[in-house]
Amino acid sequence: MFVTPAYAQAAGGAGGADMLMSILPFILIFVVMYFLIIRPQRNQMKKRGEMLTNIRRNDTIITGGGIIAKVTKVIDDNELEAEITDGIKIRVLRSTIGDVRTRGEPVADNKNK
């Protein structure tokens, strides 16, 4: 009925190892999730952000709705003016742009002329 001192000491020492073994699967799951999901998603978001900030005049863009247009003017950090067809211009939010198809040429520098 009574617990011997040797048995009580062995149970107390093994408690730390049991706790480590119970936490270890959660740590391994987090490491796998980081390398398979979180890290690639961050890289993809970084590339998309760079693509959106580097849009300039004469780039051909595709909006989230599937409209293909040519950028005619960069209004500010959030908006662009794009031409769908001759004479029809729309304002587009940068965040709604899905892809940049064709890169335009840089604007000519008039100071050298």
Side-chain angles (χ1 to χ4, degrees), residues 22-113:
S22 65
I23 294 175
L24 188 63
F26 292 112
I27 294 171
L28 291 174
I29 289 171
F30 179 75
V31 169
V32 169
M33 293 277 287
Y34 176 77
F35 283 107
L36 292 179
I37 297 173
I38 298 171
R39 190 167 174 241
Q41 186 69 22
R42 280 187 183 169
N43 290 339
Q44 190 177 28
M45 287 175 53
K46 184 177 177 183
K47 286 180 185 177
R48 177 170 165 72
E50 289 174 2
M51 177 192 72
L52 292 178
T53 56
N54 292 332
I55 293 175
R56 57 184 181 225
R57 197 174 66 181
N58 292 330
D59 286 351
T60 302
I61 59 171
I62 301 175
T63 65
I67 297 173
I68 300 174
K70 187 174 186 178
V71 177
T72 57
K73 182 174 155 183
V74 177
I75 298 172
D76 59 17
D77 290 342
N78 296 323
E79 292 184 21
L80 306 167
E81 184 177 276
E83 186 175 39
I84 298 172
T85 185
D86 295 331
I88 298 178
K89 295 181 181 180
I90 59 172
R91 290 177 75 164
V92 180
L93 292 174
R94 280 188 196 257
S95 60
T96 62
I97 295 173
D99 193 18
V100 178
R101 282 182 117 184
T102 309
R103 300 303 246 160
E105 295 184 19
V107 178
D109 192 10
N110 292 335
K111 293 179 184 177
N112 296 333
K113 291 183 179 182

Side-chain angles (χ1 to χ4, degrees), residues 8-26:
Q9 287 178 359
D18 289 339
M19 188 170 120
L20 179 65
M21 293 305 286
S22 65
I23 294 175
L24 188 63
F26 292 112

